Amino acid sequence: MHFTGRTWRPPYEAHSVIIQATSGCTYNRCRFCSLYKGERFRMSPLREFEEDLAEIKRYQPHARRIFWTGADPFTMSYENLRIRALTVRDYLIKCRTMAMFASIRSIRDKEVWQLKKLRAMGINGLSIGVESGDAETLALAGKGYTPADILEQCRKLDEAGIEYYFVYMTGLAGKGGGYRNAKNSAELFSRLDPYFISVDSLTLFPGTELYERTRQGVFVPAGEKERIRELQMLIASLEIRTHLFADTVTNFAPLTAYLPYDRARAIDELRYVLDHTDEEEMREYRRSLKSLSLNDR
């Protein structure tokens, strides 16, 4: 298999077959991220892609879901995505879905008719790290798009019938910004149809711009209890039927919920943590994180 650089997949794709479609990141300007720093973006040549598919066929010929790795394989042109999706079909005849990371920027250059065709070929399951739906927080994080952009591009996915997943990040708005971030994000997300929302909590690592801003006193991180209250507000404010997973290693108190049915239970669980856990204990947990691997828990 032609894996190069950092190979990364979401925890919920753990049972998917993995193939490299791209490596590195085309954007690399998010102020909290160091995952692909120093790694040049590269699109895997079709020859390599086919060789990897041939190897997968030898060992997992009945694979039903395949995850294309890379920070944003959906940045490839419609034609390139089409050719690769059809090539997957040639090698893995039982494959039903092809999932990958995507960004709001990479959806922008696709028309709805193209998205519908990609959906028909099996591309379904885009993990989108929007991180927030609040204009001020998105600007602080350096995401390069606005809430209006999120609304416009994801409505195209809704129209095309492509399933997508949001990643939301508590603490990203900084000290005092969690309530605003949660309220505005929930209002935006409730106008769309994300199949589920995965929640991380901002963890600052050396090599990121927000880490340096924190050292300089320019950015003041939110406290741990503020982050939990932010998550409570997000859960209380979402007005759609969706799954919420706040169970990655960055979350002090792992939580899963199916909204709106589990809303009260989830809020109560978080309230218990607030009432029975010391702030310093939570901070010590975050200081102990060395990577974002789920296996570290």
Side-chain angles (χ1 to χ4, degrees):
M1 299 293 289
H2 294 89
F3 290 117
T4 59
R6 183 179 291 273
T7 301
W8 182 264
R9 56 103 179 119
Y12 45 81
E13 296 288 354
H15 299 293
S16 302
V17 174
I18 295 176
I19 188 170
Q20 180 171 286
T22 64
S23 56
C25 178
T26 56
Y27 186 65
N28 239 337
R29 293 195 290 276
C30 294
R31 295 192 175 106
F32 57 87
C33 181
S34 61
L35 283 174
Y36 303 97
K37 296 297 184 185
E39 186 175 342
R40 181 177 297 179
F41 175 78
R42 175 180 181 269
M43 187 167 62
S44 297
L46 187 58
R47 175 186 55 79
E48 288 186 3
F49 194 73
E50 283 203 62
E51 289 174 358
D52 288 349
L53 284 171
E55 186 168 347
I56 292 170
K57 183 178 180 179
R58 283 198 299 272
Y59 293 100
Q60 299 190 58
H62 303 296
R64 299 176 71 82
R65 184 177 177 91
I66 186 167
F67 185 81
W68 300 10
T69 66
D72 184 7
F74 206 66
T75 196
M76 290 189 283
S77 68
Y78 162 74
E79 188 61 27
N80 210 327
L81 289 167
R82 185 187 72 84
I83 290 171
R84 288 168 189 258
L86 293 175
T87 304
V88 171
R89 293 291 192 196
D90 287 341
Y91 283 86
L92 303 173
I93 61 174
K94 298 273 181 90
C95 182
R96 298 183 63 183
T97 57
M98 290 162 257
M100 66 195 73
F101 287 118
S103 73
I104 298 303
R105 290 176 301 276
S106 62
I107 302 166
R108 189 178 291 149
D109 65 353
K110 276 95 177 165
E111 302 292 338
V112 172
W113 70 267
Q114 294 174 322
L115 294 172
K116 287 181 177 179
K117 285 185 174 293
L118 293 174
R119 173 65 181 89
M121 295 172 200
I123 291 181
N124 189 37
L126 302 182
S127 293
I128 309 173
V130 293
E131 326 302 350
S132 170
D134 172 63
E136 191 174 335
T137 305
L138 289 170
L140 173 65
K143 292 300 294 183
Y145 48 76
T146 66
D149 294 327
I150 297 173
L151 186 64
E152 179 182 2
Q153 300 310 317
C154 290
R155 278 183 169 168
K156 287 162 58 177
L157 297 180
D158 289 336
E159 186 176 348
I162 292 180
E163 187 177 284
Y164 58 93
Y165 325 126
F166 282 161
V167 178
Y168 177 87
M169 187 174 288
T170 63
L172 187 59
K175 184 176 181 180
Y179 179 90
R180 181 198 73 245
N181 189 23
K183 286 288 288 184
N184 290 341
S185 297
E187 180 181 348
L188 177 67
F189 296 171
S190 296
R191 299 171 68 184
L192 295 166
D193 191 26
Y195 185 72
F196 65 74
I197 299 171
S198 177
V199 179
D200 292 328
S201 189
L202 176 67
T203 306
L204 296 170
F205 294 110
T208 64
E209 189 173 339
L210 279 187
Y211 178 88
E212 293 304 319
R213 289 189 179 194
T214 301
R215 291 183 59 194
Q216 297 164 8
V218 177
F219 176 74
V220 181
E224 296 298 323
K225 290 198 173 186
E226 181 181 353
R227 298 169 190 233
I228 291 181
R229 294 188 187 98
E230 177 182 349
L231 180 55
Q232 283 183 312
M233 178 56 63
L234 180 73
I235 293 170
S237 303
L238 283 167
E239 297 179 355
I240 50 174
R241 186 177 300 166
T242 191
H243 299 267
L244 184 137
F245 300 104
D247 57 353
T248 68
V249 71
T250 64
N251 295 281
F252 178 82
L255 176 80
T256 61
Y258 182 50
L259 301 178
Y261 307 106
D262 296 332
R263 192 191 315 274
R265 187 264 302 168
I267 291 173
D268 285 345
E269 283 187 18
L270 293 171
R271 183 179 297 116
Y272 182 88
V273 175
L274 289 170
D275 292 343
H276 293 85
T277 312
D278 183 76
E279 172 79 19
E280 183 54 36
E281 179 184 347
M282 297 181 185
R283 289 182 178 177
E284 181 57 34
Y285 172 78
R286 189 155 312 282
R287 286 193 291 264
S288 72
L289 296 179
K290 303 305 179 186
S291 75
L292 300 184
S293 170
L294 193 65
N295 294 329
D296 290 343
R297 184 177 283 285

